Amino acid sequence: MKKSYKLENLDCANCAAKIEDAIKKIDGIKSASVSFFAQKIEIEFDRDETTLVAEIKKIISKIEPDCELL
């Protein structure tokens, strides 16, 4: 499944790259792309979305505490 989410308060392109790299390492993620300019993340995955989103939110808050996944 492929899904797109909005990111709010992503302040740094370097942090976007770090978030993307970390998300790609999650089990069940086929692909991930974080766009700093569009403030958006696109992921392709093959597991339960609810638990996956929870893991992604943890990663985002660790790297960019003010950033929120919407």
Side-chain angles (χ1 to χ4, degrees), residues 44-68:
E44 187 174 353
F45 56 95
D46 61 4
R47 60 178 264 215
D48 179 55
E49 184 180 1
T50 307
T51 56
L52 191 62
V53 168
E55 286 182 53
I56 291 171
K57 285 182 177 183
K58 275 186 186 177
I59 288 169
I60 291 171
S61 69
K62 229 184 232 185
I63 296 170
E64 181 81 77
D66 294 332
C67 183
E68 288 185 58

Side-chain angles (χ1 to χ4, degrees), residues 5-62:
Y5 299 93
K6 185 171 174 19
L7 293 169
E8 192 171 276
N9 299 322
L10 181 61
D11 295 332
C12 150
N14 187 42
C15 293
K18 287 180 183 179
I19 290 168
E20 181 177 308
D21 289 342
I23 289 171
K24 285 179 178 178
K25 294 176 184 173
I26 296 174
D27 187 41
I29 294 286
K30 292 181 176 181
S31 68
S33 175
V34 177
S35 172
F36 171 68
F37 294 108
Q39 298 282 299
K40 189 169 87 171
I41 180 171
E42 292 183 5
I43 57 169
E44 187 174 353
F45 56 95
D46 61 4
R47 60 178 264 215
D48 179 55
E49 184 180 1
T50 307
T51 56
L52 191 62
V53 168
E55 286 182 53
I56 291 171
K57 285 182 177 183
K58 275 186 186 177
I59 288 169
I60 291 171
S61 69
K62 229 184 232 185

